Amino acid sequence: MASNAIEIEQLRKTYAGGKGTAPHEALKGIDLSIPTGSVFGLLGPNGAGKSTLINILAGLVIKTSGRVRIWGFDQDVNPRQSRASIGVMPQELNLDPFFKPRGALEVQAGLYGVPKSQRRTDEILRLVGLEDKADAYSRTLSGGMRRRLLLGKALVHHPHILVLDEPTAGVDIELRQMLWANVRRLNQQGMTIILTTHYLEEAEEMCDEIAIINKGSVVACDSTVNLLGRIDSKTMVIQPASPPKALPVAAGVEVEQRADGALALHYHARQTPAEAVLEAVRAAGISIGDVRTEQADLEDVFLTLTRGVA
Ligand code: ADP
Ligand code: MG
């Protein structure tokens, strides 16, 4: 067993431009190690390059340069072994409408060379909750069922590593919970899980480690705990009841006066309790007309991390 399930060095991908469009550099030299047994999150906004990275791991997109090792197998040297080590649930719903779930799983197992005696089609159908739909045409399945079938397809060859590309985009709460329960169980059984998302909360809830990727580069990679510690900046916005004579002063609080008369107080929730911020406001003799808080969104997080300020 390799200590890193995946090792990526200086991975680059440039998509060739079409008619009248310039080539696009989607990955700009990615270095990443994904520990065996972890749930690893690739977090980034739309267009960051997450799917490109995943699809290179899956062997669906050809890299421009760099090195990819999956379960210790160099993708260029041992393409078959590296492909056999990983199962990918793609972002797109690319199912043949005339297949039935059982048949789709059997065909997928055949593609991966899983002998009939080693196939676990019924077990997988149960795992993804499609045993009742085993012989229904894919086109009659709901969106959620199709996603579950895609998860099943990713599992037919018993991969060491499972990759889920935006598994919960456009998915209802019930399916989301079912997906996470499955993912947790598979991880407890020893499977390394990689998932992409553009929701910070989702990465926070599921992942041991998170890499943040933006515009084709990794801007941060750390344990979830450490990362959240770096990005726990909060903003309290006070609308004073009357123009303030003095500004609040407190350690760890940065004050910004906004054009509409509001005072934005920036602080780190771990170091400075909200109560201390309010205390400073009162101490400055300001009576509060209105108060609200602003959470750092993903965009702020990228800015903070890329500026190197925390
Ligand atoms: P993400 O999954 O993070 O949203 P993608 O990897 O899908 O990002 O896309 C990264 C960038 O590469 C985007 O600017 C996208 O438009 C571009 N891109 C993705 N696939 C292709 C392709 N097949 N041809 C050209 N450009 C592409
Ligand atoms: Mg994507």
Side-chain angles (χ1 to χ4, degrees):
M1 189 167 78
S3 70
N4 284 321
I6 297 210
E7 282 172 355
I8 294 170
E9 282 167 44
Q10 280 304 302
L11 181 62
R12 290 177 185 276
K13 174 65 188 179
T14 301
Y15 288 108
K19 268 184 235 130
T21 54
H24 179 77
E25 197 180 14
L27 297 179
K28 302 174 180 165
I30 301 272
D31 292 308
L32 212 54
S33 297
I34 300 181
T36 299
S38 62
V39 180
F40 192 97
L42 272 178
L43 179 65
N46 282 327
K50 303 181 297 296
S51 293
T52 300
L53 178 58
I54 297 301
N55 290 334
I56 290 173
L57 295 178
L60 299 170
V61 165
I62 308 292
K63 64 182 187 273
T64 303
S65 65
R67 201 176 171 135
V68 174
R69 241 182 253 108
I70 301 175
W71 209 247
F73 297 111
D74 188 305
Q75 204 178 35
D76 298 330
V77 182
N78 300 101
R80 277 197 47 230
Q81 288 93 327
S82 68
R83 232 168 74 87
S85 305
I86 193 168
V88 178
M89 176 178 163
Q91 183 173 4
E92 307 291 331
L93 285 171
N94 55 350
L95 284 169
D96 185 323
F98 295 104
F99 266 112
K100 301 164 181 178
R102 185 191 303 282
L105 293 175
E106 287 287 334
V107 166
Q108 185 81 358
L111 284 174
Y112 276 88
V114 181
K116 282 229 156 57
S117 62
Q118 285 176 31
R119 293 187 191 169
R120 301 179 305 184
T121 306
D122 286 315
E123 187 188 328
I124 291 173
L125 285 168
R126 261 197 313 281
L127 179 80
V128 298
L130 285 177
E131 63 269 57
D132 296 345
K133 295 282 178 184
D135 299 303
Y137 284 114
S138 290
R139 65 184 149 81
T140 69
L141 302 180
S142 70
M145 291 174 186
R146 289 179 203 195
R147 274 190 182 269
R148 272 140 60 186
L149 178 53
L150 288 176
L151 173 62
K153 282 178 73 178
L155 295 170
V156 293
H157 56 296
H158 328 310
H160 295 294
I161 305 162
L162 174 66
V163 184
L164 307 146
D165 194 1
E166 308 249 0
T168 58
V171 148
D172 63 34
I173 290 179
E174 207 177 327
L175 176 57
R176 179 182 302 227
Q177 285 171 348
M178 179 247 157
L179 267 171
W180 287 159
N182 273 336
V183 163
R184 287 207 174 90
R185 192 163 54 222
L186 291 166
N187 181 245
Q188 278 156 13
Q189 290 165 6
M191 203 177 271
T192 303
I193 312 280
I194 302 166
L195 60 95
T196 78
T197 177
H198 53 268
Y199 299 115
L200 183 58
E201 297 75 29
E202 194 161 281
E204 186 179 337
E205 187 190 332
M206 289 301 298
C207 302
D208 313 315
E209 295 201 27
I210 298 175
I212 299 188
I213 161 167
N214 194 26
K215 299 195 176 106
S217 299
V218 173
V219 297
C221 182
D222 212 332
S223 68
T224 305
V225 176
N226 285 347
L227 203 68
L228 291 175
R230 284 164 67 186
I231 58 181
D232 74 334
S233 65
K234 288 224 160 112
T235 301
M236 189 186 291
V237 183
I238 305 273
Q239 198 69 51
S242 54
K245 296 190 183 66
L247 294 180
V249 183
V253 180
E254 189 191 318
V255 183
E256 172 203 349
Q257 281 189 284
R258 293 193 171 161
D260 62 356
L263 296 176
L265 304 151
H266 305 287
Y267 62 104
H268 287 276
R270 281 169 188 240
Q271 291 151 24
T272 313
E275 185 50 42
V277 180
L278 284 170
E279 195 54 50
V281 172
R282 287 192 213 102
I286 297 167
S287 73
I288 298 172
D290 190 24
V291 61
R292 62 190 165 83
T293 55
E294 290 173 357
Q295 286 278 5
D297 64 15
L298 209 45
E299 213 52 52
D300 298 329
V301 171
F302 295 131
L303 287 176
T304 309
L305 291 170
T306 40
R307 276 204 317 260
V309 191

